[in-house]
Amino acid sequence: FYYFVRLCLDKILLQCILQSRTLSGADAINALRPFYFAVHPDFFGQHPKEREVNENSLKRLNGYLENLQKPGFRSFKPTQLTFYVREREPNSSNVQESFSASGFRAVSFTLHTRDLLSTVLDILNSCSLSTEHVQSLNVNSQPHKETKSTVNRPIKWDKTYYSFTGFKDPEEELEQAQRVETTLLSWLDNNEASAVKKLKKSLPLRKELERLKIELSHELQLSDIRWQRSWGIAHRCSQLHSLGRLVQQRPEILENVKGRTVVFTDRSGMSAAGHIMLGTMDVHHHWTKIFERLPNYYKLQKRLLLLEDRISQLLGGIQVIYIEELQPLLTLEEYFEILNSFYNKLRDSRLPFHPRSLRGLQMILESDRYAPSLHELGHFMIPTVCDPAALQWFIFAKAQEARENLKRKEEMMITEKELISTSTERFSLDRLYKEPSVSSAQMIDCCKRLLEESLPYLQGMHLCISHFYSVLQDGDLCIPWNWK
């Protein structure tokens, strides 16, 4: 009888401890404010690759946190996340000022906890962020202050307690979860059915999207229709329907779009690459103004191309390019100002570059860097604030390496295209593609290893090579390029 009473008391005490250490959803959000400030996509506007990775990871993290708050939630799947975290200045005491513009670092971690408090602590610790404010939140949420010493006292239960009561040993569960590593085959086995269901449901919308895209492209004589972000099929159809209605209402304003590319994005205007941007949050009135301004945009674009030629002449024939996948989405006006400022600095410095000595080389201008660098794909990454003398020395020193990288880039693109075609055919995929943040080298490595496997799950699927595992809302399978 005494032993039975003791077990009941122990059980009640354990429940009290767990309840007192539980954070509410609001507390969890407050505790994660430093984390959200460090990884929020809005702060990565100049870095589209890192922005997209953080956007996708935040979606999966929010889903994980929501599941933890559901009554009776019992399912348990470790979730691997990758975030780009903005660097902090070590001597800054103010949270709002503690992040510098010098760069960021990639952080990967796996969530396998069953309560909000442990999850919040894991996230903050993984990103090397302070957890002191979490302790204050935890204390404030306790209903009885006098139990503070009991609540914070670590308790280690004897193994016989769990074997007798049938309760699960949290230490054993944690060790088991840490030993579990997600593999491609195990993940496909667990998620293939869900992906197939979503894909079948999306097929009618996919056909509708393709029909709308072909009809509008033909009617407006467009070169292409694109989307800046990975919006769902239904969202994309809605955007094309909106454009179609505008064509019917105001056909006269669309006379100047022939041969152009329309991109649905966050804001309206013309991009640095010369594409017509239609902001998805804007109404037809804003779109109409953009189409009316197209003749003026085209004049500015000619001036921009002339500026690029002049910069090229001053730098020995090196070509100034704009790479959509690697650079922030700039408007034509923003990019013109960057080019104009850089040109004036070069013209005043009178650098002694031999004419056409750097022909065949490429460079992009960046406004958020302070030192020049050479990209693995062969183009120079030149800061707009770069000292002309340092720029000259750097280009001369790296010219031969740049030519070798450009040649390697061409070879890699051919190899990548062949491997995508071979993999698509081998696994009977409906589509195989990659996120912009995945490099050609990573895609090649991924496809080579995929071709060594037997993967019947992939027949008829849409496979996206990414940085994490996920099933998109329309049934696309996302797998990390470095899958195990």
Side-chain angles (χ1 to χ4, degrees):
F1 176 80
Y2 172 79
Y3 186 69
F4 176 78
V5 172
R6 176 63 183 272
L7 281 177
C8 291
L9 290 173
D10 285 347
K11 183 177 180 180
I12 293 172
L13 178 60
L14 177 62
Q15 289 175 340
C16 291
I17 291 170
L18 291 176
Q19 289 172 0
S20 64
R21 297 186 72 242
T22 299
L23 286 183
S24 67
D27 284 339
I29 292 175
N30 287 331
L32 286 174
R33 284 188 187 280
F35 165 76
Y36 286 130
F37 189 79
V39 304
H40 199 283
D42 287 352
F43 293 109
F44 289 80
Q46 303 295 312
H47 305 280
K49 164 190 166 183
E50 290 76 14
R51 178 189 177 105
E52 185 171 6
V53 170
N54 282 11
E55 282 180 343
N56 291 321
S57 294
L58 278 175
K59 289 178 185 177
R60 300 177 67 230
L61 172 60
N62 290 337
Y64 189 95
L65 295 175
E66 288 174 5
N67 283 335
L68 288 180
Q69 299 174 65
K70 291 179 181 178
F73 175 70
R74 291 291 181 270
S75 61
F76 182 75
K77 289 184 180 178
T79 300
Q80 185 174 4
L81 300 172
T82 297
F83 286 98
Y84 286 94
V85 181
R86 295 192 296 148
E87 293 288 7
R88 291 180 300 170
E89 295 175 355
N91 297 326
S92 177
S93 58
N94 187 295
V95 174
Q96 297 294 329
E97 299 174 352
S98 62
F99 294 93
S100 67
S102 60
F104 37 76
R105 54 194 167 86
V107 174
S108 296
F109 54 89
T110 301
L111 296 178
H112 42 62
T113 46
R114 287 173 175 262
D115 65 278
L116 281 174
L117 176 59
S118 300
T119 303
V120 167
L121 291 174
D122 277 359
I123 294 170
L124 295 174
N125 286 326
S126 298
C127 297
S128 302
L129 298 172
S130 173
T131 60
E132 294 180 1
H133 62 291
V134 182
Q135 301 301 325
S136 63
L137 282 173
N138 188 29
V139 171
N140 293 336
S141 66
Q142 293 169 9
H144 302 292
K145 292 185 177 181
E146 62 269 20
T147 62
K148 178 179 178 182
S149 59
T150 305
V151 170
N152 292 329
R153 177 173 59 87
I155 297 179
K156 187 174 177 115
W157 302 93
D158 190 89
K159 298 293 182 182
T160 56
Y161 170 80
Y162 300 105
S163 61
F164 184 84
T165 61
F167 295 149
K168 293 183 179 179
D169 184 347
E171 288 188 1
E172 187 177 321
E173 279 193 310
L174 179 59
E175 291 175 2
Q176 183 178 358
Q178 290 173 338
R179 289 195 300 266
V180 174
E181 184 175 16
T182 302
T183 65
L184 177 61
L185 290 174
S186 66
W187 186 83
L188 288 175
D189 188 47
N190 292 330
N191 293 275
E192 184 256 352
S194 171
V196 169
K197 183 178 179 181
K198 291 180 178 180
L199 180 61
K200 287 182 177 179
K201 186 178 179 180
S202 73
L203 288 179
L205 275 177
R206 290 180 186 272
K207 291 180 181 178
E208 173 71 359
L209 178 67
E210 189 63 23
R211 182 187 68 80
L212 289 169
K213 185 176 178 181
I214 292 174
E215 287 183 359
L216 280 172
S217 296
H218 178 72
E219 185 175 0
L220 301 177
Q221 300 184 55
L222 295 173
S223 174
D224 194 11
I225 298 178
R226 301 179 191 169
W227 285 264
Q228 179 198 3
R229 298 199 187 179
S230 303
W231 282 299
I233 304 297
H235 196 170
R236 296 187 182 199
C237 284
S238 176
Q239 291 159 0
L240 291 184
H241 279 300
S242 294
L243 180 58
R245 286 192 295 271
L246 181 59
V247 172
Q248 294 175 356
Q249 296 167 5
R250 300 287 303 276
E252 73 281 359
I253 64 172
L254 302 172
E255 296 175 354
N256 297 311
V257 301
K258 182 178 179 180
R260 293 285 169 169
T261 293
V262 168
V263 182
F264 289 97
T265 180
D266 294 330
R267 51 181 174 164
S268 298
M270 179 166 278
S271 73
H275 302 325
I276 301 168
M277 302 190 302
L278 300 181
T280 57
M281 300 301 292
D282 292 338
V283 295
H284 282 182
H285 174 69
H286 294 99
W287 289 7
T288 301
K289 282 190 173 182
I290 296 303
F291 288 119
E292 290 175 344
R293 292 175 188 161
L294 285 180
N296 291 330
Y297 279 126
Y298 296 155
K299 291 178 182 177
L300 180 60
Q301 189 180 27
K302 289 181 179 179
R303 293 174 58 194
L304 185 147
L305 294 174
L306 183 61
L307 260 182
E308 289 182 338
D309 287 340
R310 289 176 176 173
I311 292 173
S312 176
Q313 293 171 9
L314 292 175
L315 293 179
I318 190 170
Q319 182 185 7
V320 183
I321 61 174
Y322 176 83
I323 305 177
E324 290 181 281
E325 294 81 6
L326 299 179
Q327 293 181 257
L329 188 65
L330 299 173
T331 64
L332 198 66
E333 298 95 329
E334 291 169 342
Y335 191 48
F336 181 86
E337 289 301 319
I338 291 174
L339 286 172
N340 192 46
S341 173
F342 186 71
Y343 168 71
N344 290 332
K345 179 181 289 189
L346 283 180
R347 184 188 57 190
D348 295 340
S349 65
R350 300 181 181 277
L351 293 177
F353 280 97
H354 189 279
R356 296 184 296 279
S357 61
L358 298 177
R359 287 187 65 181
L361 297 182
Q362 299 174 341
M363 61 168 278
I364 65 174
L365 281 173
E366 296 197 332
S367 57
D368 60 342
R369 289 178 178 266
Y370 296 93
S373 62
L374 177 62
H375 196 275
E376 60 180 4
L377 297 181
H379 58 268
F380 288 96
M381 304 169 72
I382 307 301
T384 55
V385 297
C386 184
D387 175 65
L391 172 62
Q392 180 188 13
W393 176 87
F394 184 82
I395 291 179
F396 280 147
K398 297 287 186 177
Q400 183 57 35
E401 184 180 350
R403 296 187 189 278
E404 294 172 358
N405 286 2
L406 283 171
K407 183 179 180 181
R408 192 180 307 116
K409 169 191 171 182
E410 294 177 1
E411 296 171 350
M412 287 176 62
M413 291 182 68
I414 294 174
T415 302
E416 179 185 7
K417 187 176 180 180
E418 291 175 347
L419 284 171
I420 289 176
S421 177
T422 303
S423 301
T424 302
E425 183 179 354
R426 162 78 182 278
F427 300 114
S428 301
L429 288 164
D430 194 67
R431 185 188 178 202
L432 173 59
Y433 63 104
K434 68 174 184 177
E435 289 187 345
S437 55
V438 176
S439 68
S440 292
Q442 292 170 338
M443 187 66 172
I444 289 172
D445 176 71
C446 177
C447 289
K448 283 182 176 179
R449 293 190 299 115
L450 280 176
L451 289 170
E452 296 174 357
E453 302 291 328
S454 176
L455 301 170
Y457 307 94
L458 299 180
Q459 185 173 356
M461 301 303 294
H462 291 241
L463 183 63
C464 174
I465 307 304
S466 176
H467 295 274
F468 49 81
Y469 288 104
S470 177
V471 178
L472 301 185
Q473 61 184 15
D474 294 305
D476 294 45
L477 289 165
C478 290
I479 65 171
W481 68 271
N482 56 345
W483 54 270
K484 304 295 183 182

